[in-house]
């Protein structure tokens, strides 16, 4: 018996509620303290994974940390090979590449596949949520109340959902200052998702969906005046290099999943799969805690702009029809749209107060 076995057994006997943040340290310990004796004869697993952003960025560091945790969970038999961003598959095709086995672990930015994930488009509604940590917890809770909220991948996708989260809200990052909603009229913008495009067009701008590297090039070449995206994109795709002003609007959080090829997942033992699932909140907090702070650290305070209370009120009023549209879309997909929206609003308010 190894010294690690009592720890593993205690975790197995007392499953941890993933919504209880107090168990994070225990989950992390479980992920790095797995008994290896029973797996000594198990074959090695070669895993292929592509980075989302360049070496040295927070997302890159997070992926390396995850690889280390996966190696510990499997007693060292999982060997990960990393590929540079876009070297194996473009951003938008990551899900298909993982399902086909071209990659074993993939990152799925749901807005890159509009219409495929109607459940998660709920969290892209402008003004619904202001905090990604609270929003992610609400999503996990909604999956328990409405199981169909968790049925986001089809059998043909051939992937297992390891972790699904709500991202940071989007803000405007521009070459010239946007101090009022009226300043948006006539501007040409990129946006991280189609929900952001709809918002910008409703406010008088022209907009199109561009993923991080494409937005960087468009800004660098002067093809767009700015981008509506989260601070995580600014930080990981170096958008600070091609923008100067940052208007805080907190709109349209996107959502994303880390997935594993289903056939690869079957190569893990049952215990390994359980430990991998237990990393959900640890993985989440490693990804979200410092992204905005890191991105904003070098920006002069005068270049960070806050809209007036009047503009914020006007924005909320003008965006409300998009909420009604989501309910109609959800209903058409067989989901109880209004019930889900009402419960999301209730939980977001409740958890924000706690």
């Amino acid at each position: 018996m190894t010294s690690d076995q009592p720890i593993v057994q205690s975790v197995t006997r007392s499953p941890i509620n993933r919504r209880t943040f107090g168990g994070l340290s225990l989950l992390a310990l479980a992920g790095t303290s797995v008994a290896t004796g029973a797996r000594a004869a198990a074959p090695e697993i070669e895993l292929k994974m592509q980075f989302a952003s360049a070496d040295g960025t927070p997302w890159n560091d997070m992926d390396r940390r995850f690889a280390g945790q996966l190696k510990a969970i499997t007693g060292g038999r999982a060997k990960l090979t990393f590929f540079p961003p876009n070297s194996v598959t473009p951003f938008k095709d990551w899900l298909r590449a993982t399902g086909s086995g071209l990659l074993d672990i993939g990152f799925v930015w749901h807005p890159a596949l509009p219409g495929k994930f109607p459940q998660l488009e709920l969290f892209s509604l402008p003004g619904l949520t202001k905090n990604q940590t609270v929003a992610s917890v609400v999503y996990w809770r909604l999956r328990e109340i409405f199981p169909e909220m968790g049925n986001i991948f089809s059998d043909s996708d051939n992937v297992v959902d390891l972790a699904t989260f709500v991202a940071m809200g989007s803000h405007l990052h521009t070459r010239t200052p946007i101090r009022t909603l009226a300043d948006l009229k006539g501007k040409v913008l990129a946006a991280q998702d189609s929900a952001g495009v709809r918002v910008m067009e409703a406010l008088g701008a022209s907009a199109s969906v561009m993923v991080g590297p494409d937005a960087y090039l468009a800004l660098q070449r002067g093809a767009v005046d700015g981008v509506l995206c989260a601070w995580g994109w600014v930080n990981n795709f170096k958008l600070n290099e091609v923008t100067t002003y940052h208007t805080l609007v907190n709109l349209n959080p996107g959502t994303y999943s880390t997935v594993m090829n289903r056939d690869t997942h079957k190569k893990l033992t049952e215990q390994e799969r359980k430990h991998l699932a237990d990393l959900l909140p640890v993985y989440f907090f490693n990804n979200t805690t410092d992204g905005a702070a890191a991105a904003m650290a070098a920006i002069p305070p005068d270049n960070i702009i806050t809209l007036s209370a009047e503009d914020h009120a006007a924005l909320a009023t003008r965006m409300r029809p998009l909420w009604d549209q989501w309910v109609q879309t959800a209903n058409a997909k067989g989901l109880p749209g209004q019930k889900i929206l009402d419960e999301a609003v209730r939980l977001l308010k409740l958890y924000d107060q706690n």
Side-chain angles (χ1 to χ4, degrees):
M1 178 179 292
T2 70
S3 61
D4 288 337
Q5 282 177 321
I7 295 174
V8 176
Q9 290 167 354
S10 67
V11 174
T12 303
R13 287 194 300 267
S14 303
I16 296 173
N17 188 323
R18 294 178 192 169
R19 291 178 279 117
T20 303
F21 295 153
L24 289 177
S25 59
L26 183 57
L27 288 175
L29 186 61
T32 56
S33 302
V34 177
T36 60
R39 302 191 188 91
E44 288 189 352
I45 305 175
E46 299 289 338
L47 302 175
K48 304 178 294 298
M49 189 172 178
Q50 177 178 278
F51 285 126
S53 60
D55 207 9
T57 58
W59 285 349
N60 189 294
D61 294 341
M62 178 188 66
D63 287 339
R64 292 189 185 279
R65 186 186 296 112
F66 177 71
Q69 292 167 330
L70 184 55
K71 183 177 180 180
I73 286 170
T74 60
R77 73 187 188 98
K79 310 292 184 182
L80 270 81
T81 299
F82 286 101
F83 297 94
N86 295 310
S87 61
V88 176
T89 184
F91 210 86
K92 64 182 178 61
D93 294 331
W94 218 324
L95 173 58
R96 184 167 55 185
T98 307
S100 69
L102 194 60
L103 293 170
D104 295 291
I105 300 174
F107 177 89
V108 183
W109 175 243
H110 304 132
L113 300 169
K116 181 171 175 58
F117 305 101
Q119 304 97 316
L120 295 167
E121 290 175 6
L122 167 68
F123 291 95
S124 292
L125 294 177
L128 178 67
T129 177
K130 60 183 179 181
N131 184 292
Q132 71 172 135
T133 304
V134 174
S136 291
V137 175
V138 168
Y139 170 63
W140 301 339
R141 179 61 175 151
L142 287 175
R143 285 172 66 139
E144 296 177 359
I145 302 171
F146 305 100
E148 55 268 49
M149 289 293 289
N151 298 330
I152 57 178
F153 296 106
S154 66
D155 290 341
S156 61
D157 289 327
N158 198 40
V159 298
V160 174
D161 182 0
L162 299 183
T164 294
F165 311 113
V166 180
M168 301 176 185
S170 300
H171 303 280
L172 280 165
H173 311 281
T174 55
R175 296 185 297 154
T176 58
I178 302 294
R179 302 190 185 280
T180 69
L181 292 181
D183 293 339
L184 285 168
K185 292 182 179 179
K187 293 291 190 294
V188 180
L189 301 170
Q192 69 178 24
D193 54 30
S194 57
V197 168
R198 291 194 293 272
V199 170
M200 291 299 99
E201 290 179 342
L203 296 173
S206 300
S208 58
V209 175
M210 294 185 189
V211 296
D214 296 336
Y216 184 101
L217 289 175
L219 284 160
Q220 187 181 52
R221 296 167 179 170
V224 296
D225 299 305
V227 57
L228 178 70
C229 70
W231 284 112
W233 282 43
V234 175
N235 203 23
N236 287 280
F237 297 121
K238 303 184 184 300
L239 298 182
N240 274 345
E241 296 178 356
V242 287
T243 59
T244 303
Y245 298 94
H246 309 270
T247 305
L248 304 180
V249 290
N250 203 16
L251 295 169
N252 305 106
T255 53
Y256 57 98
S257 296
T258 296
V259 297
M260 180 179 282
N261 176 275
R262 186 175 298 279
D263 301 315
T264 301
H265 191 257
K266 291 177 181 177
K267 296 178 183 179
L268 300 174
T269 67
E270 182 179 357
Q271 187 179 40
E272 288 168 349
R273 290 194 290 266
K274 287 180 179 178
H275 281 299
L276 187 59
D278 283 341
L279 284 177
L280 172 66
V282 178
Y283 185 73
F284 171 62
F285 281 109
N286 282 335
N287 187 23
T288 62
T289 49
D290 298 318
M296 298 173 71
I299 300 173
D302 289 345
N303 290 0
I304 299 177
I305 302 166
T306 301
L307 293 176
S308 68
E310 292 78 12
D311 267 348
H312 271 296
L315 186 60
T317 299
R318 293 170 70 174
M319 295 303 105
R320 198 56 193 248
L322 296 176
W323 293 31
D324 298 331
Q325 290 178 19
W326 181 83
V327 169
Q328 294 173 8
T329 299
N331 289 343
K333 297 289 185 179
L335 301 170
Q338 193 62 54
K339 287 184 178 179
I340 294 173
L341 176 59
D342 291 345
E343 183 65 5
V345 170
R346 186 186 75 83
L347 291 174
L348 286 163
K349 182 179 180 180
L350 176 65
Y351 293 171
D352 190 50
Q353 292 171 339
N354 289 342

